[in-house]
Amino acid sequence: MIKIGQIGIGHNHGEAKMLSVRKFPELFEVVGFAEENEEWIKKRGNLRGYEGLKRYSVDELIDKCDALLIETDVWDLTKIAQKCVDAGKHVHIDKPGSGSLAEYKTMLDTAKDKNLIVQLAYMYRYNPAIQKTFELIKNGDLGEIYSINAEMSTFHSPKYRKWLTNFGGGIMYILGCHLIDLIVYMMGKPQKIHSFLKHTKLDGIEVDDNNLAVMEYEKALARVFVSSVEVNGFGRRQFMVSGSKGTVNICPIERPLTMTYSDTKIADTAYEDRKIFIPFEDNTASGRYDEMIKDFYSYIAGEKENPFTYEHEYNVQSVLDEVVGGVKFYGKNID
């Protein structure tokens, strides 16, 4: 059994992650949590995920645990992860990575040198339809990939969009990272990157809230669009991969999860919509992080090898850094 704790409760996915860990008492002994910001204790300390758990200082918790969930405010994620790996602890780090590229690389290099697990919390890695797409690409069913079209938008509240002003790149930094992760895993680092970070100024809020990035490969183009002002954007979240033999289209990506598949046999005419639906159990509403958390255990226990290598994690952050014009923080407003 792995002794685990959570550092920080300020990340938007923090409580859900703790709830997932607590589902598996046969795998994890939950030691407690740490949060240094009393404002977060007031806002979230009484949430169900932390019910009955002891609060420790960061150093105390690190000392008592084998592994840590890093769920701090985004700007502190890499700094706290470095503290943990310096102490020889495995880390599950929420997204996106923070700090300079050099700081991020130092954290990864330290973990690699010490043979420690680093798991980034990119949730779509565990989406059943995304995993099916990985399989189709690996098996060659889609042929040579020519195009990826990825969208991840929402119509956010003014409060959320004000929070986004903390971050260079705004919604591209916070949500676009999920899509960049998948594209880099499938295609590697692009040859060229073109970014368009636009401000709608809706509600008088000055932030990158309507963004597009185009990633060039030798024969392929990958488009990443993220908006914080798209009405029913959640319903249009999409991941489409097209190759010389076939196309998959996941839209919506979750709730409901809907995937279609077409190949040259199914699409036997050029001017009609020919596809089949691939059914999945949509586990994203009730257990979005469960498989991820179970894999974290398996990686630490040596039962599985993490397919998302240290090198991959660095490449994702490197591409994200270029897309947003350098990871940077303009403030630390938690309201």
Side-chain angles (χ1 to χ4, degrees), residues 133-144:
T133 303
F134 290 161
E135 178 189 323
L136 291 169
I137 292 172
K138 183 179 179 180
N139 292 343
D141 294 302
L142 301 183
E144 186 173 1

Side-chain angles (χ1 to χ4, degrees), residues 14 34 39 77 119 138 151 172 177 195 232 277 303-304 307:
E39 286 302 308
L77 290 168
Q119 183 189 53
K138 183 179 179 180
E151 302 195 16
M172 178 62 82
C177 58
S195 294
N232 195 37
F277 286 84
E303 298 172 354
K304 286 186 179 180

Side-chain angles (χ1 to χ4, degrees), residues 11-74:
H11 197 283
N12 290 337
H13 297 171
E15 188 207 10
K17 213 68 61 61
M18 178 57 82
L19 287 169
S20 283
V21 167
R22 297 184 78 171
K23 287 182 183 179
F24 306 109
E26 72 279 13
L27 304 180
F28 298 102
E29 177 188 338
V30 179
V31 175
F33 72 98
E35 176 53 69
E36 295 181 329
N37 188 333
E38 293 300 325
E39 286 302 308
W40 279 130
I41 296 297
K42 292 177 187 176
K43 290 174 183 287
R44 296 182 178 173
N46 291 324
L47 293 176
R48 184 167 62 93
Y50 311 112
E51 204 171 86
L53 296 182
K54 185 172 180 180
R55 182 186 176 192
Y56 292 93
S57 72
V58 170
D59 289 338
E60 283 177 323
L61 191 62
I62 292 173
D63 185 58
K64 290 178 178 293
C65 292
D66 306 310
L68 285 307
L69 306 171
I70 314 301
E71 298 291 339
T72 64
D73 288 294
V74 172

Side-chain angles (χ1 to χ4, degrees), residues 25 50 117-118 122 146 156 166 174 192 207 213 216 300 322 325:
Y50 311 112
I117 299 302
V118 175
Y122 286 116
Y146 296 142
H156 283 123
N166 287 310
I174 293 297
K192 292 181 181 179
V207 66
E216 286 190 60
I300 295 170
E322 186 172 348

Side-chain angles (χ1 to χ4, degrees), residues 78 91-98 101 104-105 107-109 111 116-122 125-126 177-178 180-182 184-185 189 292 299 306-321:
T78 298
V91 287
H92 167 97
I93 310 169
D94 226 313
K95 42 57 61 184
S98 62
L101 267 182
Y104 192 74
K105 187 174 189 300
M107 182 273 295
L108 291 172
D109 287 347
L116 297 169
I117 299 302
V118 175
Q119 183 189 53
L120 268 289
Y122 286 116
R125 294 175 180 181
Y126 287 86
C177 58
H178 285 288
I180 290 167
D181 171 59
L182 300 178
V184 171
Y185 186 68
K189 290 186 69 175
M292 179 188 293
Y299 299 154
N306 186 356
F308 301 96
T309 64
Y310 305 103
E311 291 73 21
H312 169 76
E313 302 297 11
Y314 178 75
N315 287 340
V316 171
Q317 192 68 10
S318 175
V319 172
L320 177 62
D321 186 85

